[in-house]
Amino acid sequence: MLRAALSLLALPLAGAAEEPTQKPESPGEPPPGLELFRWQWHEVEAPYLVALWILVASLAKIVFHLSRKVTSLVPESCLLILLGLVLGGIVLAVAKKAEYQLEPGTFFLFLLPPIVLDSGYFMPSRLFFDNLGAILTYAVVGTLWNAFTTGWLTGLPAVWEPHLGGGPRGRASCL
């Protein structure tokens, strides 16, 4: 019974193992025969790598969750970021050059939200509401500081070089 099943499984492969009767017409053309699978990395690269990142992060999250000693000192989201830095450094050291570059859109749309949502979900609400005043102060003051500093720095070249500040465009020509 087992021998009959194996012979049925080997039957489609028998035609693929034979020598092709014709030579391919051009050097880039594959030989005729039965093609079982084709390796086209460029078609599956992005979804495969995102799935691999999610798998590694999920496994690390499970390990970090089981290790109460480490997570009592350092939050899990910080450990995940450190793990990403270590794995990225290892890949970069092995490959000697960056073969895959993470695009900002991929990071901000797929990788950052789970980290932020995880940190926010598992944050004790008591600590959050006790420090709400400090959080809002830092948010408002930090936003204003960044806005005024950016505006001042973009206008600074017009002060150093007055000819940049004149004209119909004004300070916009500094940008």
Side-chain angles (χ1 to χ4, degrees):
M1 180 78 156
L2 181 62
R3 183 172 288 171
L6 288 176
S7 65
L8 286 176
L9 288 175
L11 185 63
L13 296 176
E18 295 177 5
E19 290 290 324
T21 56
Q22 305 173 15
K23 296 285 184 192
E25 294 182 16
S26 67
E29 195 174 308
L34 179 64
E35 185 176 4
L36 296 178
F37 67 92
R38 186 178 342 167
W39 183 264
Q40 292 183 340
W41 174 248
H42 64 278
E43 289 183 8
V44 296
E45 179 180 10
Y48 178 76
L49 289 176
V50 169
L52 187 65
W53 291 333
I54 291 172
L55 177 68
V56 169
S58 300
L59 292 176
K61 179 96 172 122
I62 291 170
V63 169
F64 294 154
H65 189 69
L66 293 176
S67 173
R68 298 275 183 205
K69 189 181 228 182
V70 175
T71 56
S72 65
L73 300 173
V74 182
E76 290 180 7
S77 57
C78 291
L79 290 173
L80 288 172
I81 291 171
L82 290 174
L83 176 70
L85 288 172
V86 168
L87 290 177
I90 290 171
V91 168
L92 187 62
V94 169
K96 306 259 195 262
K97 68 172 190 152
E99 292 189 22
Y100 181 78
Q101 183 145 359
L102 179 63
E103 297 173 9
T106 305
F107 175 75
F108 286 114
L109 290 175
F110 298 112
L111 297 177
L112 187 62
I115 294 171
V116 172
L117 291 175
D118 174 65
S119 298
Y121 184 75
F122 288 109
M123 180 181 193
S125 60
R126 173 86 177 160
L127 289 173
F128 177 76
F129 288 113
D130 285 347
N131 296 313
L132 187 61
I135 292 169
L136 291 176
T137 302
Y138 280 122
V140 171
V141 171
T143 301
L144 291 174
W145 173 262
N146 282 330
F148 287 123
T149 304
T150 303
W152 183 73
L153 288 175
T154 55
L156 196 60
V159 174
W160 285 344
E161 298 182 25
H163 68 278
L164 291 177
R169 291 183 285 169
R171 290 188 181 187
S173 63
C174 298
L175 300 175

